[in-house]
mmCIF file of all heavy atoms in Angstrom:
data_model
loop_
_atom_site.group_PDB
_atom_site.id
_atom_site.type_symbol
_atom_site.label_atom_id
_atom_site.label_comp_id
_atom_site.label_asym_id
_atom_site.label_seq_id
_atom_site.Cartn_x
_atom_site.Cartn_y
_atom_site.Cartn_z
ATOM 1 N N LEU A 1049 -14.751 -19.893 11.916
ATOM 2 C CA LEU A 1049 -14.137 -18.958 12.859
ATOM 3 C C LEU A 1049 -15.114 -18.489 13.943
ATOM 4 O O LEU A 1049 -14.698 -17.784 14.865
ATOM 5 C CB LEU A 1049 -13.591 -17.738 12.123
ATOM 6 C CG LEU A 1049 -12.270 -17.925 11.355
ATOM 7 C CD1 LEU A 1049 -11.982 -16.690 10.509
ATOM 8 C CD2 LEU A 1049 -11.120 -18.195 12.318
ATOM 9 N N ALA A 1050 -16.367 -18.846 13.835
ATOM 10 C CA ALA A 1050 -17.364 -18.373 14.809
ATOM 11 C C ALA A 1050 -16.937 -18.719 16.229
ATOM 12 O O ALA A 1050 -16.597 -19.864 16.533
ATOM 13 C CB ALA A 1050 -18.732 -18.983 14.501
ATOM 14 N N GLY A 1051 -16.913 -17.701 17.081
ATOM 15 C CA GLY A 1051 -16.537 -17.887 18.474
ATOM 16 C C GLY A 1051 -15.057 -17.772 18.761
ATOM 17 O O GLY A 1051 -14.647 -17.745 19.926
ATOM 18 N N ALA A 1052 -14.217 -17.706 17.708
ATOM 19 C CA ALA A 1052 -12.769 -17.596 17.922
ATOM 20 C C ALA A 1052 -12.431 -16.230 18.509
ATOM 21 O O ALA A 1052 -13.016 -15.209 18.143
ATOM 22 C CB ALA A 1052 -12.029 -17.803 16.607
ATOM 23 N N ASP A 1053 -11.484 -16.206 19.433
ATOM 24 C CA ASP A 1053 -11.094 -14.957 20.099
ATOM 25 C C ASP A 1053 -10.054 -14.220 19.271
ATOM 26 O O ASP A 1053 -8.978 -14.763 18.964
ATOM 27 C CB ASP A 1053 -10.518 -15.257 21.480
ATOM 28 C CG ASP A 1053 -11.564 -15.801 22.435
ATOM 29 O OD1 ASP A 1053 -12.731 -15.368 22.332
ATOM 30 O OD2 ASP A 1053 -11.217 -16.656 23.269
ATOM 31 N N ALA A 1054 -10.362 -12.971 18.923
ATOM 32 C CA ALA A 1054 -9.429 -12.137 18.170
ATOM 33 C C ALA A 1054 -8.382 -11.563 19.128
ATOM 34 O O ALA A 1054 -8.736 -10.866 20.088
ATOM 35 C CB ALA A 1054 -10.171 -11.009 17.464
ATOM 36 N N THR A 1055 -7.131 -11.879 18.891
ATOM 37 C CA THR A 1055 -6.067 -11.370 19.762
ATOM 38 C C THR A 1055 -5.588 -9.990 19.333
ATOM 39 O O THR A 1055 -4.962 -9.280 20.119
ATOM 40 C CB THR A 1055 -4.877 -12.333 19.784
ATOM 41 O OG1 THR A 1055 -4.411 -12.541 18.437
ATOM 42 C CG2 THR A 1055 -5.291 -13.669 20.390
ATOM 43 N N GLY A 1056 -5.870 -9.611 18.092
ATOM 44 C CA GLY A 1056 -5.463 -8.278 17.646
ATOM 45 C C GLY A 1056 -5.450 -8.155 16.144
ATOM 46 O O GLY A 1056 -5.686 -9.122 15.412
ATOM 47 N N VAL A 1057 -5.182 -6.941 15.687
ATOM 48 C CA VAL A 1057 -5.086 -6.642 14.266
ATOM 49 C C VAL A 1057 -3.717 -6.024 14.011
ATOM 50 O O VAL A 1057 -3.316 -5.070 14.685
ATOM 51 C CB VAL A 1057 -6.188 -5.675 13.797
ATOM 52 C CG1 VAL A 1057 -6.095 -5.442 12.287
ATOM 53 C CG2 VAL A 1057 -7.569 -6.206 14.174
ATOM 54 N N GLY A 1058 -2.993 -6.586 13.061
ATOM 55 C CA GLY A 1058 -1.692 -6.064 12.675
ATOM 56 C C GLY A 1058 -1.622 -5.892 11.182
ATOM 57 O O GLY A 1058 -2.650 -5.891 10.489
ATOM 58 N N SER A 1059 -0.424 -5.761 10.646
ATOM 59 C CA SER A 1059 -0.268 -5.582 9.207
ATOM 60 C C SER A 1059 1.093 -6.080 8.767
ATOM 61 O O SER A 1059 2.028 -6.183 9.568
ATOM 62 C CB SER A 1059 -0.436 -4.105 8.819
ATOM 63 O OG SER A 1059 0.616 -3.316 9.370
ATOM 64 N N LEU A 1060 1.206 -6.371 7.500
ATOM 65 C CA LEU A 1060 2.482 -6.685 6.866
ATOM 66 C C LEU A 1060 2.404 -6.181 5.439
ATOM 67 O O LEU A 1060 1.539 -6.611 4.667
ATOM 68 C CB LEU A 1060 2.764 -8.186 6.888
ATOM 69 C CG LEU A 1060 4.105 -8.618 6.272
ATOM 70 C CD1 LEU A 1060 5.274 -7.978 7.038
ATOM 71 C CD2 LEU A 1060 4.244 -10.137 6.282
ATOM 72 N N GLY A 1061 3.281 -5.240 5.102
ATOM 73 C CA GLY A 1061 3.202 -4.641 3.786
ATOM 74 C C GLY A 1061 1.873 -3.950 3.584
ATOM 75 O O GLY A 1061 1.498 -3.065 4.349
ATOM 76 N N LYS A 1062 1.120 -4.384 2.580
ATOM 77 C CA LYS A 1062 -0.181 -3.796 2.283
ATOM 78 C C LYS A 1062 -1.341 -4.674 2.772
ATOM 79 O O LYS A 1062 -2.492 -4.429 2.406
ATOM 80 C CB LYS A 1062 -0.315 -3.561 0.775
ATOM 81 C CG LYS A 1062 0.720 -2.590 0.207
ATOM 82 C CD LYS A 1062 0.520 -2.405 -1.292
ATOM 83 C CE LYS A 1062 1.578 -1.505 -1.897
ATOM 84 N NZ LYS A 1062 1.377 -1.307 -3.349
ATOM 85 N N TYR A 1063 -1.042 -5.669 3.590
ATOM 86 C CA TYR A 1063 -2.074 -6.570 4.116
ATOM 87 C C TYR A 1063 -2.416 -6.207 5.553
ATOM 88 O O TYR A 1063 -1.516 -5.995 6.385
ATOM 89 C CB TYR A 1063 -1.603 -8.021 4.102
ATOM 90 C CG TYR A 1063 -1.484 -8.626 2.730
ATOM 91 C CD1 TYR A 1063 -0.324 -8.467 1.979
ATOM 92 C CD2 TYR A 1063 -2.528 -9.371 2.178
ATOM 93 C CE1 TYR A 1063 -0.202 -9.024 0.715
ATOM 94 C CE2 TYR A 1063 -2.421 -9.937 0.915
ATOM 95 C CZ TYR A 1063 -1.253 -9.758 0.186
ATOM 96 O OH TYR A 1063 -1.139 -10.319 -1.075
ATOM 97 N N ALA A 1064 -3.708 -6.149 5.872
ATOM 98 C CA ALA A 1064 -4.167 -6.076 7.256
ATOM 99 C C ALA A 1064 -4.429 -7.501 7.726
ATOM 100 O O ALA A 1064 -4.935 -8.340 6.958
ATOM 101 C CB ALA A 1064 -5.428 -5.239 7.371
ATOM 102 N N ILE A 1065 -4.104 -7.786 8.997
ATOM 103 C CA ILE A 1065 -4.137 -9.159 9.502
ATOM 104 C C ILE A 1065 -4.898 -9.195 10.824
ATOM 105 O O ILE A 1065 -4.474 -8.574 11.805
ATOM 106 C CB ILE A 1065 -2.713 -9.701 9.723
ATOM 107 C CG1 ILE A 1065 -1.876 -9.552 8.441
ATOM 108 C CG2 ILE A 1065 -2.762 -11.149 10.184
ATOM 109 C CD1 ILE A 1065 -0.394 -9.817 8.658
ATOM 110 N N VAL A 1066 -6.009 -9.930 10.847
ATOM 111 C CA VAL A 1066 -6.746 -10.177 12.087
ATOM 112 C C VAL A 1066 -6.303 -11.532 12.606
ATOM 113 O O VAL A 1066 -6.487 -12.557 11.935
ATOM 114 C CB VAL A 1066 -8.274 -10.168 11.855
ATOM 115 C CG1 VAL A 1066 -9.007 -10.352 13.180
ATOM 116 C CG2 VAL A 1066 -8.714 -8.883 11.160
ATOM 117 N N SER A 1067 -5.696 -11.556 13.787
ATOM 118 C CA SER A 1067 -5.169 -12.799 14.353
ATOM 119 C C SER A 1067 -6.093 -13.327 15.436
ATOM 120 O O SER A 1067 -6.711 -12.547 16.178
ATOM 121 C CB SER A 1067 -3.782 -12.552 14.948
ATOM 122 O OG SER A 1067 -2.868 -12.147 13.947
ATOM 123 N N PHE A 1068 -6.160 -14.663 15.527
ATOM 124 C CA PHE A 1068 -6.999 -15.318 16.520
ATOM 125 C C PHE A 1068 -6.135 -16.174 17.447
ATOM 126 O O PHE A 1068 -5.010 -16.567 17.095
ATOM 127 C CB PHE A 1068 -8.069 -16.164 15.836
ATOM 128 C CG PHE A 1068 -9.033 -15.342 15.021
ATOM 129 C CD1 PHE A 1068 -8.799 -15.106 13.675
ATOM 130 C CD2 PHE A 1068 -10.149 -14.774 15.611
ATOM 131 C CE1 PHE A 1068 -9.668 -14.331 12.925
ATOM 132 C CE2 PHE A 1068 -11.027 -14.000 14.874
ATOM 133 C CZ PHE A 1068 -10.786 -13.772 13.532
ATOM 134 N N ALA A 1069 -6.657 -16.467 18.633
ATOM 135 C CA ALA A 1069 -5.879 -17.123 19.667
ATOM 136 C C ALA A 1069 -5.374 -18.499 19.247
ATOM 137 O O ALA A 1069 -4.334 -18.957 19.731
ATOM 138 C CB ALA A 1069 -6.718 -17.240 20.947
ATOM 139 N N ASP A 1070 -6.083 -19.172 18.337
ATOM 140 C CA ASP A 1070 -5.677 -20.510 17.916
ATOM 141 C C ASP A 1070 -4.731 -20.501 16.722
ATOM 142 O O ASP A 1070 -4.418 -21.556 16.160
ATOM 143 C CB ASP A 1070 -6.906 -21.370 17.606
ATOM 144 C CG ASP A 1070 -7.767 -20.793 16.483
ATOM 145 O OD1 ASP A 1070 -7.364 -19.790 15.862
ATOM 146 O OD2 ASP A 1070 -8.856 -21.346 16.238
ATOM 147 N N GLY A 1071 -4.266 -19.325 16.307
ATOM 148 C CA GLY A 1071 -3.309 -19.233 15.213
ATOM 149 C C GLY A 1071 -3.913 -18.969 13.846
ATOM 150 O O GLY A 1071 -3.178 -18.669 12.892
ATOM 151 N N ARG A 1072 -5.223 -19.096 13.721
ATOM 152 C CA ARG A 1072 -5.859 -18.771 12.445
ATOM 153 C C ARG A 1072 -5.855 -17.257 12.240
ATOM 154 O O ARG A 1072 -5.761 -16.484 13.198
ATOM 155 C CB ARG A 1072 -7.290 -19.320 12.402
ATOM 156 C CG ARG A 1072 -7.346 -20.837 12.313
ATOM 157 C CD ARG A 1072 -8.767 -21.353 12.283
ATOM 158 N NE ARG A 1072 -9.457 -21.137 13.555
ATOM 159 C CZ ARG A 1072 -10.707 -21.502 13.800
ATOM 160 N NH1 ARG A 1072 -11.419 -22.117 12.846
ATOM 161 N NH2 ARG A 1072 -11.264 -21.283 14.977
ATOM 162 N N ARG A 1073 -5.954 -16.852 10.982
ATOM 163 C CA ARG A 1073 -5.913 -15.429 10.664
ATOM 164 C C ARG A 1073 -6.863 -15.106 9.515
ATOM 165 O O ARG A 1073 -7.140 -15.956 8.665
ATOM 166 C CB ARG A 1073 -4.499 -15.007 10.253
ATOM 167 C CG ARG A 1073 -3.486 -15.029 11.371
ATOM 168 C CD ARG A 1073 -2.090 -14.678 10.884
ATOM 169 N NE ARG A 1073 -1.527 -15.740 10.073
ATOM 170 C CZ ARG A 1073 -0.314 -15.687 9.529
ATOM 171 N NH1 ARG A 1073 0.441 -14.620 9.681
ATOM 172 N NH2 ARG A 1073 0.138 -16.703 8.809
ATOM 173 N N ILE A 1074 -7.346 -13.872 9.516
ATOM 174 C CA ILE A 1074 -8.024 -13.299 8.359
ATOM 175 C C ILE A 1074 -7.111 -12.203 7.816
ATOM 176 O O ILE A 1074 -6.644 -11.339 8.560
ATOM 177 C CB ILE A 1074 -9.392 -12.689 8.729
ATOM 178 C CG1 ILE A 1074 -10.396 -13.781 9.102
ATOM 179 C CG2 ILE A 1074 -9.941 -11.856 7.568
ATOM 180 C CD1 ILE A 1074 -11.726 -13.228 9.590
ATOM 181 N N LEU A 1075 -6.839 -12.248 6.526
ATOM 182 C CA LEU A 1075 -6.107 -11.174 5.857
ATOM 183 C C LEU A 1075 -7.055 -10.440 4.932
ATOM 184 O O LEU A 1075 -7.978 -11.034 4.374
ATOM 185 C CB LEU A 1075 -4.969 -11.720 4.984
ATOM 186 C CG LEU A 1075 -4.021 -12.791 5.485
ATOM 187 C CD1 LEU A 1075 -2.977 -13.066 4.402
ATOM 188 C CD2 LEU A 1075 -3.367 -12.374 6.765
ATOM 189 N N PHE A 1076 -6.816 -9.144 4.742
ATOM 190 C CA PHE A 1076 -7.461 -8.464 3.617
ATOM 191 C C PHE A 1076 -6.505 -7.455 3.011
ATOM 192 O O PHE A 1076 -5.641 -6.897 3.685
ATOM 193 C CB PHE A 1076 -8.822 -7.840 3.983
ATOM 194 C CG PHE A 1076 -8.790 -6.755 5.028
ATOM 195 C CD1 PHE A 1076 -8.549 -5.433 4.676
ATOM 196 C CD2 PHE A 1076 -9.058 -7.050 6.360
ATOM 197 C CE1 PHE A 1076 -8.560 -4.426 5.635
ATOM 198 C CE2 PHE A 1076 -9.070 -6.052 7.320
ATOM 199 C CZ PHE A 1076 -8.814 -4.740 6.958
ATOM 200 N N HIS A 1077 -6.648 -7.302 1.697
ATOM 201 C CA HIS A 1077 -5.800 -6.423 0.896
ATOM 202 C C HIS A 1077 -6.722 -5.494 0.128
ATOM 203 O O HIS A 1077 -7.647 -5.944 -0.553
ATOM 204 C CB HIS A 1077 -4.951 -7.264 -0.059
ATOM 205 C CG HIS A 1077 -3.886 -6.493 -0.781
ATOM 206 N ND1 HIS A 1077 -4.160 -5.525 -1.723
ATOM 207 C CD2 HIS A 1077 -2.531 -6.555 -0.699
ATOM 208 C CE1 HIS A 1077 -3.017 -5.031 -2.189
ATOM 209 N NE2 HIS A 1077 -2.016 -5.640 -1.579
ATOM 210 N N LEU A 1078 -6.478 -4.194 0.227
ATOM 211 C CA LEU A 1078 -7.398 -3.214 -0.353
ATOM 212 C C LEU A 1078 -7.093 -2.876 -1.802
ATOM 213 O O LEU A 1078 -7.849 -2.129 -2.424
ATOM 214 C CB LEU A 1078 -7.391 -1.937 0.499
ATOM 215 C CG LEU A 1078 -7.845 -2.145 1.945
ATOM 216 C CD1 LEU A 1078 -7.789 -0.825 2.715
ATOM 217 C CD2 LEU A 1078 -9.252 -2.731 2.003
ATOM 218 N N SER A 1079 -6.009 -3.409 -2.339
ATOM 219 C CA SER A 1079 -5.667 -3.234 -3.746
ATOM 220 C C SER A 1079 -5.735 -1.766 -4.144
ATOM 221 O O SER A 1079 -5.282 -0.897 -3.421
ATOM 222 C CB SER A 1079 -6.573 -4.104 -4.624
ATOM 223 O OG SER A 1079 -6.034 -4.214 -5.924
ATOM 224 N N GLN A 1080 -6.336 -1.444 -5.318
ATOM 225 C CA GLN A 1080 -6.288 -0.074 -5.829
ATOM 226 C C GLN A 1080 -7.282 0.857 -5.160
ATOM 227 O O GLN A 1080 -6.951 1.984 -4.805
ATOM 228 C CB GLN A 1080 -6.534 -0.079 -7.340
ATOM 229 C CG GLN A 1080 -5.363 -0.599 -8.142
ATOM 230 C CD GLN A 1080 -5.602 -0.464 -9.626
ATOM 231 O OE1 GLN A 1080 -6.700 -0.711 -10.125
ATOM 232 N NE2 GLN A 1080 -4.575 -0.080 -10.356
ATOM 233 N N GLY A 1081 -8.510 0.385 -4.992
ATOM 234 C CA GLY A 1081 -9.549 1.296 -4.524
ATOM 235 C C GLY A 1081 -10.319 0.799 -3.327
ATOM 236 O O GLY A 1081 -11.478 1.178 -3.126
ATOM 237 N N GLY A 1082 -9.710 -0.051 -2.508
ATOM 238 C CA GLY A 1082 -10.406 -0.568 -1.338
ATOM 239 C C GLY A 1082 -10.439 0.433 -0.198
ATOM 240 O O GLY A 1082 -9.511 1.222 -0.018
ATOM 241 N N ARG A 1083 -11.512 0.392 0.565
ATOM 242 C CA ARG A 1083 -11.668 1.264 1.719
ATOM 243 C C ARG A 1083 -12.336 0.471 2.849
ATOM 244 O O ARG A 1083 -12.868 -0.624 2.618
ATOM 245 C CB ARG A 1083 -12.521 2.497 1.374
ATOM 246 C CG ARG A 1083 -11.898 3.405 0.307
ATOM 247 C CD ARG A 1083 -10.610 4.044 0.775
ATOM 248 N NE ARG A 1083 -10.077 4.975 -0.214
ATOM 249 C CZ ARG A 1083 -9.171 4.646 -1.137
ATOM 250 N NH1 ARG A 1083 -8.724 3.402 -1.211
ATOM 251 N NH2 ARG A 1083 -8.722 5.551 -1.987
ATOM 252 N N VAL A 1084 -12.341 1.023 4.050
ATOM 253 C CA VAL A 1084 -12.869 0.314 5.213
ATOM 254 C C VAL A 1084 -13.731 1.267 6.027
ATOM 255 O O VAL A 1084 -13.343 2.416 6.271
ATOM 256 C CB VAL A 1084 -11.719 -0.231 6.093
ATOM 257 C CG1 VAL A 1084 -12.267 -0.826 7.389
ATOM 258 C CG2 VAL A 1084 -10.910 -1.276 5.332
ATOM 259 N N ASP A 1085 -14.891 0.777 6.447
ATOM 260 C CA ASP A 1085 -15.750 1.502 7.390
ATOM 261 C C ASP A 1085 -15.787 0.742 8.707
ATOM 262 O O ASP A 1085 -15.888 -0.489 8.720
ATOM 263 C CB ASP A 1085 -17.187 1.618 6.861
ATOM 264 C CG ASP A 1085 -17.322 2.584 5.693
ATOM 265 O OD1 ASP A 1085 -16.388 3.371 5.464
ATOM 266 O OD2 ASP A 1085 -18.364 2.523 5.006
ATOM 267 N N VAL A 1086 -15.708 1.477 9.800
ATOM 268 C CA VAL A 1086 -15.981 0.906 11.121
ATOM 269 C C VAL A 1086 -17.406 1.298 11.475
ATOM 270 O O VAL A 1086 -17.720 2.486 11.592
ATOM 271 C CB VAL A 1086 -14.991 1.425 12.180
ATOM 272 C CG1 VAL A 1086 -15.382 0.928 13.563
ATOM 273 C CG2 VAL A 1086 -13.570 0.982 11.832
ATOM 274 N N GLU A 1087 -18.274 0.305 11.619
ATOM 275 C CA GLU A 1087 -19.708 0.558 11.778
ATOM 276 C C GLU A 1087 -20.119 0.368 13.234
ATOM 277 O O GLU A 1087 -20.144 -0.742 13.755
ATOM 278 C CB GLU A 1087 -20.501 -0.397 10.888
ATOM 279 C CG GLU A 1087 -20.154 -0.277 9.412
ATOM 280 C CD GLU A 1087 -20.847 -1.336 8.570
ATOM 281 O OE1 GLU A 1087 -21.002 -2.486 9.067
ATOM 282 O OE2 GLU A 1087 -21.240 -1.016 7.428
#
Side-chain angles (χ1 to χ4, degrees):
L1049 284 171
D1053 293 325
T1055 57
V1057 183
S1059 66
L1060 181 61
K1062 298 180 183 181
Y1063 290 86
I1065 306 169
V1066 183
S1067 297
F1068 296 92
D1070 60 6
R1072 290 180 292 180
R1073 291 177 289 180
I1074 291 175
L1075 314 182
F1076 63 86
H1077 189 293
L1078 299 179
S1079 195
Q1080 287 185 319
R1083 297 295 184 266
V1084 173
D1085 289 345
V1086 174
E1087 301 174 324

